[in-house]
Amino acid sequence: ERLVVWPISRTDWDAKAPRWTTRQKRPVDHVFIHHGATLLEDHSQEGEARIVRAYQRYHFGKGWADLAYSFLVGVESGRVYEGRGWFNRPGATKHWNHRSYAICVIGDTTRQEISAAAVKAIKDLIEHGVEQGFIVSDFKLRGHRDVANKDCPGQSAYAKLDEMHPLVEAGKIPKLIPPAFTRTLRLRWPRSKAPLVKWVQAAVGVPLTGSYDWLTRHHVCRWQGENGLKPDGVVGPVTYNKMFRG
């Protein structure tokens, strides 16, 4: 049974105010799991909060806006702590922050086993995000190591990714089908705002503005080059089929 997730607030763990915030565009289509890579020996709320404050100081020292994570979860206790939350963009997963949330396990999950309570807390938190419309229903759950040359999260957390996914039961994830190809997308004026534009933007990793703009064209060109197509920035039948039909 899922419990309502009420994170320990920033006030309660004595967070410093962020230097600035950037609003997150919702819903996102990815959730990334991280770990702090710091051995957690004191599993009390104050012990966890002390480590979270240390993470924030470290991120401030790197010149970042705030603690980088959206939420944090105690490796043993399963307590959930508010980081940047649902409404502000995280800063933990380079190139993916604009389309994801970042959940950090407090501790080192290579040297420590993540508990069943922590796995369930992450699962319940993500399910809450889906129900509230912050995360799309067919989101991807990934480890930081999947998109960066890192060992994050540690071994025990990475091995439990499937168990953290709240919608793995057969038939529970709806199959989303992109709009049929009816018209070529290219940079023009006025900008194209066909329904397919947001699907293309999601595929190439740019904000989902719904407008086929210069940024979208640039990333389409890069995606085409990476996938063996002519990098002309035009989404015609060939690019469409490669992008959405495999």
Side-chain angles (χ1 to χ4, degrees), residues 16 24 58 63 71 80 86 89 134 136 157 170 173 177-178 183 198 201 205 214 218-219 222 228 245-246:
K16 301 295 185 183
Q24 181 64 297
Y58 177 68
F71 297 95
V80 179
W86 296 116
R89 184 177 298 177
F134 302 139
V136 299
I173 301 177
I177 301 174
R183 183 177 181 181
K198 284 189 177 182
Q201 290 174 326
W214 281 101
H218 171 75
H219 282 266
R222 187 169 68 180
R245 303 297 184 219

Side-chain angles (χ1 to χ4, degrees), residues 77-172:
S77 72
R79 293 187 195 92
V80 179
Y81 294 77
E82 178 187 21
R84 298 194 188 188
W86 296 116
F87 300 105
N88 294 319
R89 184 177 298 177
T93 318
K94 189 175 181 180
H95 303 309
W96 292 86
N97 293 314
H98 66 285
R99 59 187 293 187
S100 69
Y101 290 114
I103 300 174
C104 176
V105 180
I106 306 166
D108 184 331
T109 62
T110 291
R111 293 185 288 169
Q112 296 176 281
E113 284 293 319
I114 188 171
S115 70
V119 171
K120 186 177 187 303
I122 293 170
K123 178 179 178 178
D124 289 350
L125 178 65
I126 295 171
E127 186 170 2
H128 176 74
V130 173
E131 291 176 348
Q132 296 301 309
F134 302 139
I135 304 169
V136 299
S137 58
D138 63 337
F139 73 96
K140 292 182 180 179
L141 179 62
R142 305 170 77 178
H144 188 198
R145 66 175 68 182
D146 292 328
V147 296
N149 185 23
K150 298 179 181 292
D151 293 328
C152 178
Q155 295 300 330
S156 70
Y158 192 71
K160 298 286 187 179
L161 283 185
D162 285 348
E163 295 179 35
M164 297 174 187
H165 199 303
L167 304 175
V168 295
E169 294 89 349
K172 205 169 180 183

